Amino acid sequence: MRDRMSIEQELLRKAKDRSATFGVIGLGYVGLPLAVEIAGAGYRVLGFDVNPDVVGTVNSGASHIQDVSSERLASLVKDGRIAATGEMARLDEVDVISICVPTPLSKTKDPDVSYVLAVAESVTNTVRKGQVVVLESTTYPGTTRELLLPRLEVRGLRVGEDVFLAFSPERVDPGNKAWMTRNTPKVLGGVTKACRRVIAALYQPVFDQLVPVSSPEAAELVKLLENTFRSVNIGLANEMTIVCDKLGVDVWEVIEAAATKPFGFMKFTPGPGLGGHCIPIDPHYLAWKMRGLNYKTRFIEVAGEVNSEMPAFWVRKVAEELNADSKSVRGATVLVLGIAYKKDVDDLRESPALDVIRLLKHQGAVITYHDPHVPCFTDEGVVYESLDLTPEVLSTADCVVITTDHSKVNWAVVRDHARRVVDTRHVLEESLS
Ligand code: SAJ
């Protein structure tokens, strides 16, 4: 028992004097900001990534993540506080392992935890007394206890005594300049009370506020509630769009007026659909888990149906606009304004703009696009290049469909030169009023 007490005490000391070393697995939009904040708090960080380009870029002090400045990363790399590697065997060098790998959906909309499992296999090969593991990737409730715990309790190691394990959801909002890794309250749920004590002590210098909860399942569900809340309310805003369209009422006027209610209302806005690597995906992790318990999470399913319907809704609006000029979609040139899944980011993952493009293309439209954050992309084997947003480009398009309301775009030029506009983001009204 003395030995086990000393393991916990040793980790608490390493938190206090910042001598603990952290391993961050997955140096993407979650892992790299986390690595920088951990190093900024005074710890040393060894980043792990399977992509050698990412490893090289980080070691050169250049950031490949929009929300992490290269200057800050470079100074931490120069000071030896951050380094990156692809060698998972080096996991035994670190005291704390924060896992920030993707948790996508499979083609059949089931959780794909293969990245977490791959990491768990590496960890199980190197885990040793005194190590701490924190899973940060959004996942279904039970993942931490069911997938990670047994892979740590090898070679006689006991979680909560020799090794420590928790779930702590990432809450990164890409592009958000107000709420970033350090100042966004950090939820954490330890498998045991000792796990919670140790991980809270290690994380405390990194985050302005910690929010300990009683179990990893509670922490896993906190994240799923947050993102399901968004998906359901965005779905409601989108359904109101369809309702108002059928009633000939301006949905934006209705939402703006409802948003004046000083209590009991939270504004969400309609859009071309639901994009990103989180909101369209995370709720389905919970739906999948509950199906296994013979329960249908109806809000998640219905929100998913409504949100997925929006690209087709807006394509019908484009067809109506072309119709007004006695044109059909077939052969019409449609300029798609904005490809990224939300404003002021360069990320295309699950972007509904891609669904709008596919639907229009399948109906015979000629697609051009402009996105100041996305110079080019390939979809369905076609390479697209962003056009300069000139009056010429705008006026030669038979219809412009605004799918992403990037701040950088000169919306006055769009208003003045586009012949027909379908504005899924209401940005022309909002930015030019
Ligand atoms: N959207 C709407 N209407 C809205 C809000 C969003 O149509 O009122 C759309 C966006 O255009 C986007 C999608 O929904 O396509 C997701 O938007 P988002 O703002 O949730 O953006 P994400 O997915 O990049 O980030 C979210 C975080 N966002 C916020 O909390 C504001 C947060 O939920 C998570 O920290 C993060 O996902 C994550 O990693 O889970």
Side-chain angles (χ1 to χ4, degrees):
M1 180 54 89
R2 191 192 60 72
D3 177 43
R4 285 176 165 158
M5 272 311 286
S6 68
I7 291 173
E8 180 177 335
Q9 293 310 316
E10 171 72 357
L11 283 166
L12 295 176
R13 181 188 61 74
K14 286 185 157 188
K16 206 168 173 62
D17 65 15
R18 307 290 191 279
S19 61
T21 55
F22 274 70
V24 175
I25 306 180
L27 299 176
Y29 85 96
V30 174
L32 191 62
L34 178 63
V36 164
E37 288 306 339
I38 291 170
Y43 294 111
R44 283 186 66 249
V45 179
L46 181 58
F48 293 80
D49 203 288
V50 291
N51 182 337
D53 294 341
V54 167
V55 172
T57 306
V58 170
N59 281 329
S60 73
S63 167
H64 62 294
I65 297 294
Q66 194 176 317
D67 292 340
V68 175
S69 78
S70 290
E71 302 79 76
R72 189 171 183 211
L73 176 61
S75 68
L76 291 166
V77 169
K78 189 166 68 58
D79 296 350
R81 311 214 67 74
I82 288 187
T85 180
E87 283 176 71
M88 298 304 282
R90 293 187 59 188
L91 278 170
D92 70 349
E93 294 175 22
V94 301
D95 301 308
V96 188
I97 298 168
S98 295
I99 303 172
C100 306
V101 295
T103 44
L105 281 181
S106 70
K107 289 266 176 289
T108 52
K109 276 205 183 292
D110 295 333
D112 172 2
V113 289
S114 58
Y115 298 93
V116 174
L117 280 173
V119 164
E121 290 313 316
S122 302
V123 172
T124 205
N125 296 331
T126 56
V127 65
R128 56 166 169 77
K129 267 188 186 177
Q131 275 193 320
V132 179
V133 175
V134 186
L135 178 59
E136 301 241 346
S137 309
T138 306
T139 185
Y140 61 81
T143 304
T144 306
R145 198 183 297 274
E146 293 160 18
L147 295 192
L148 285 174
L149 189 146
R151 290 175 171 80
L152 294 184
E153 291 202 325
V154 289
R155 299 186 287 281
L157 294 172
R158 301 280 301 150
V159 164
E161 296 167 8
D162 306 304
V163 293
F164 302 87
L165 176 61
F167 182 80
S168 179
E170 58 86 3
R171 280 176 159 176
V172 173
D173 181 21
N176 194 321
K177 300 286 181 254
W179 295 103
M180 290 164 282
T181 297
R182 177 166 192 93
N183 69 346
T184 301
K186 187 77 164 134
V187 172
L188 66 94
V191 170
T192 69
K193 284 193 170 42
C195 294
R196 194 167 79 175
R197 272 197 306 274
V198 164
I199 289 147
L202 287 158
Y203 265 21
Q204 187 279 322
V206 183
F207 300 95
D208 292 351
Q209 183 192 348
L210 292 182
V211 183
V213 293
S214 62
S215 68
E217 288 80 8
E220 288 158 342
L221 272 169
V222 164
K223 177 67 180 180
L224 292 174
L225 171 59
E226 288 167 10
N227 284 7
T228 302
F229 169 79
R230 289 185 70 70
S231 169
V232 168
N233 282 285
I234 292 163
L236 176 60
N238 283 327
E239 183 158 71
M240 283 307 286
T241 302
I242 298 169
V243 164
C244 288
D245 182 60
K246 290 182 180 306
L247 295 172
V249 174
D250 176 352
V251 67
W252 294 91
E253 178 187 28
V254 170
I255 290 171
E256 287 309 324
T260 61
K261 185 178 180 190
F263 50 85
F265 184 79
M266 184 173 180
K267 178 181 168 185
F268 284 84
T269 54
L274 201 54
H277 32 277
C278 314
I279 308 304
I281 289 165
D282 299 345
H284 293 285
Y285 268 68
L286 183 55
W288 173 83
K289 177 73 178 181
M290 297 319 290
R291 277 199 297 277
L293 297 173
N294 206 18
Y295 179 76
K296 185 172 164 58
T297 48
R298 285 156 293 179
F299 279 102
I300 293 174
E301 314 282 341
V302 165
E305 286 161 21
V306 172
N307 289 325
S308 316
E309 196 182 308
M310 293 316 287
F313 170 83
W314 289 110
V315 165
R316 283 195 297 275
K317 304 311 281 181
V318 170
E320 286 171 18
E321 281 299 311
L322 291 169
N323 226 6
D325 281 345
S326 309
K327 291 178 182 165
S328 68
V329 175
R330 182 163 302 285
T333 299
V334 179
L335 174 68
V336 177
L337 249 183
I339 296 294
Y341 76 88
K342 72 173 185 178
K343 73 189 295 190
D344 303 341
V345 300
D346 58 5
D347 195 338
L348 299 186
R349 282 176 289 184
E350 306 289 324
S351 174
L354 297 175
D355 297 315
V356 167
I357 285 177
R358 290 168 196 152
L359 288 169
L360 286 167
K361 223 177 61 182
H362 298 164
Q363 292 183 30
V366 175
I367 301 295
T368 59
Y369 92 97
H370 169 79
D371 187 314
H373 297 278
V374 183
C376 64
F377 71 96
T378 302
D379 189 65
E380 296 186 323
V382 177
V383 178
Y384 296 87
E385 300 214 348
S386 177
L387 298 183
D388 291 338
L389 201 60
T390 62
E392 170 97 30
V393 162
L394 284 159
S395 60
T396 49
D398 296 306
C399 184
V400 173
V401 54
I402 300 173
T403 32
T404 315
D405 45 339
H406 288 309
S407 310
K408 268 185 183 173
V409 170
N410 182 337
W411 296 110
V413 169
V414 176
R415 176 202 55 200
D416 296 346
H417 296 280
R419 291 179 12 211
R420 290 276 175 181
V421 180
V422 172
D423 187 355
T424 76
R425 301 284 190 170
H426 201 241
V427 63
L428 291 187
E429 285 273 313
E430 308 222 335
S431 60
L432 302 173
S433 55

